[in-house]
């Protein structure tokens, strides 16, 4: 990806926002976050709570009757909630948790589709001082089990269909005390199991006023599990103070203004869906659309038209799918309300940035961050010329670097490890139960992001790739180990190696190489059966899209599967140094 083939997109000069420091200035390190902390409302007792900053400060002020949430259900249902109503619903849920004995620091997990009740429960959890753990509703039983066991969650809020999907793992969740079932509009005909609690019945009994627990800015608020190369996914824990960076980047990187209608297409099971599908718009008092339905090009354009969306934050795979659907589809809709579009999660190819200009009248503004950073770190701002293919420049108050393996900064134009100077406000503050893994991410005075990148002479950052074996499929990180572990649970599979195979739409798809146990023969039927087996355990997005049978897997002398070699062979690339390869 080079800048030379795509012209820089110049921007007209625009006014700087009230709270925005001069984003054009070179030395962003002079910026002082303290200035922005004073823009938060803080709790009467001097503490900080994300729910207060996102909901109550508006409900208690002039935005009480302003619409916070426009919900469109998958069957076309519509519900609107003002900040005042959001306060009431979230207060009630906090009271439900209190009545169940939930205390500061307890983990309460959410395994739900994008229903308004997911958002009420989420902020109710924060108000009660507990830690919210949202899980992607497409997950199969295994990822839910791993995350629930590791976090020791005491309460699970879910839906009838999703509860049935994971029924088999419930007896293994020894810390779980309560399951709260949301049967939205009685969508599910089966009665709620007597051992579970009915969300609406509990909410009906709960008082509608709650005094938020006086959490400090350093208390934990949210945890999201993220995949690494080895071991199971790790729970990255965030503190309430992340609110300040989510608030600031809502203005700087997403250009949020008072009268916007904002739509973030990410699911709250992933960090974008909480930091930018909850915190950024609502700390800025902005109305946002939550669309429960899945991806369909025409349905998405229709959402923009119908709800008069002005700011749209989406992901490269979705943009590539929109491109594939054709340029004539957006022409059938009135998209004239759109004013700013942004993208995150994977590399945004320059063609997609430029396509935005021709098809919807404006380029997509790429930005970079990750679960651990909690908020946007590098962005193409509204006020900045876009170099298509670049992730933009670091936000004020954040120092990014490109270093070699000795942690020395490399010159502009040279590839290296993308690193961040620690202690930005939304920095994660631990991997749950895994301090050694957490500590291993900080080296030579930097936080190691796991990405490779380079910076050009003008300070624009360019993504190069991952420095580990983690797969990014459609913007979701997949740890190869997790898929390999599921594969070898199938009786036919002796060993398995998993790689990311390049894909024109999803960037990478999961590909597995499998060696069979004695007594099993390769066949299409067996391949399909293994794929189905993993899909049901994990989820469709994570299960291998392709499986190749091979006699044995290349391993190092210490027995580690050489995924790098599998990938090189798959792509027809040089195999590199294979001196550590096991000799059979
Ligand atoms: P996650 O922690 O699941 O949000 O994934 C974060 C990872 O996604 C980053 O470490 C990158 O590898 C990738 N990523 C996120 N944003 C971008 C971007 N704008 N360009 C390239 N890769 C990205």
């Amino acid at each position: 990806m080079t800048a030379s083939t795509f012209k820089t997109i110049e921007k007209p000069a625009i006014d700087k926002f009230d709270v925005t420091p001069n984003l054009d200035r070179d030395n962003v390190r002079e910026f002082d976050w303290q200035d922005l902390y004073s823009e938060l409302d803080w709790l009467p007792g001097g503490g900080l709570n994300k729910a207060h900053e996102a909901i109550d400060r508006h409900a208690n002020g002039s935005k009480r009757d302003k619409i916070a949430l426009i919900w469109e259900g998958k069957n076309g249902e519509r519900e609107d909630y003002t900040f005042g109503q959001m306060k009431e619903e979230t207060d009630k849920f906090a009271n439900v948790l209190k009545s169940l004995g939930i205390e500061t620091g307890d983990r309460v997990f959410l395994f739900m589709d994008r229903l308004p009740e997911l958002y009420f429960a989420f902020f109710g959890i924060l108000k009660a001082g507990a830690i919210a753990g949202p899980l992607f509703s497409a997950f199969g039983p295994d990822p839910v089990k791993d995350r629930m066991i590791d976090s020791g969650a005491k309460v699970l809020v879910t839906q009838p269909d999703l509860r049935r999907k994971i029924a088999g793992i419930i007896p293994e969740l020894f810390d779980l005390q309560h399951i709260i079932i949301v049967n939205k509009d009685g969508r599910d005909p089966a009665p709620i199991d007597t051992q579970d609690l009915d969300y609406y019945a509990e909410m009906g009994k709960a008082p509608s006023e709650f005094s938020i627990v006086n959490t400090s800015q350093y208390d934990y608020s949210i945890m999201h599990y993220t995949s690494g190369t080895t071991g199971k996914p790790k729970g990255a824990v965030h503190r309430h103070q992340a609110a300040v960076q989510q608030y600031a980047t809502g203005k700087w990187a997403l250009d949020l203004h008072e009268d916007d209608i904002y739509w973030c297409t990410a699911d709250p099971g992933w960090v974008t869906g909480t930091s930018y599908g909850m915190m950024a718009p609502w700390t800025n008092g902005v109305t946002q659309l939550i669309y429960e339905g899945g991806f369909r090009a025409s349905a998405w354009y229709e959402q923009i038209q119908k709800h008069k969306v002005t700011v749209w934050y989406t992901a490269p795979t979705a943009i590539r799918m929109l491109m594939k659907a054709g340029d004539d589809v957006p022409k059938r809709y009135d998209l004239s309300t759109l004013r700013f579009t942004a993208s995150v999660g994977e590399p945004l190819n320059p063609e997609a940035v430029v396509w935005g200009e021709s098809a919807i009248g404006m380029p997509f503004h790429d930005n970079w961050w990750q679960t651990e950073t909690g908020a946007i770190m590098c962005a193409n701002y509204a006020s900045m010329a876009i170099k298509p293919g670049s992730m933009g420049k670091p936000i004020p108050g954040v120092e990014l670097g490109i270093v070699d393996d000795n942690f020395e900064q490399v010159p502009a134009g040279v590839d290296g490890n993308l690193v961040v100077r620690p202690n930005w406000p939304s920095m994660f503050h631990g991997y749950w139960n895994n301090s050694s893994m957490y500590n291993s991410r900080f080296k030579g005075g930097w936080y190691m992001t796991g990405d490779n990148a380079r910076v050009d002479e003008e300070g624009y950052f360019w993504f190069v790739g991952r420095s580990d074996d983690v797969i990014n499929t459609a913007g979701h990180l997949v740890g190869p180990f997790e898929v390999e572990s599921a594969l070898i649970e199938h009786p036919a599979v002796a060993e398995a190696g998993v790689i990311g195979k390049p894909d024109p739409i999803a960037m990478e798809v999961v590909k597995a190489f499998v060696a069979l146990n004695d007594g099993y023969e390769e066949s299409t039927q067996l391949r399909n059966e293994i794929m189905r087996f993993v899909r049901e355990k994990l989820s469709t997005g994570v299960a291998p899209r392709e499986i190749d049978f091979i006699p044995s897997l290349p391993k190092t002398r210490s027995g580690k599967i050489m995924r790098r070699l599998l990938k090189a062979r798959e792509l027809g690339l040089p195999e590199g140094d294979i001196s550590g390869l096991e000799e059979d």
Side-chain angles (χ1 to χ4, degrees), residues 37 42-43 45-50 104 126 129 212-221 238-242:
Y37 277 110
W42 298 84
L43 292 172
L48 189 72
N49 189 288
K50 283 178 172 166
T104 308
L126 301 185
I212 296 182
V213 170
N214 191 22
T215 46
S216 96
Q217 68 191 89
Y218 307 117
D219 281 329
Y220 291 160
S221 53
H238 288 279
R239 311 197 287 191
H240 281 278
Q241 72 175 24

Side-chain angles (χ1 to χ4, degrees), residues 11-12 14 17 23 252-253 255 339-340 365 380-385:
K11 297 283 192 61
I14 59 164
F17 317 118
L23 295 174
W252 301 340
D255 198 32
R339 154 179 97 59
F340 189 80
H365 296 74
N380 288 280
Y381 307 104
S383 57
M384 201 170 107

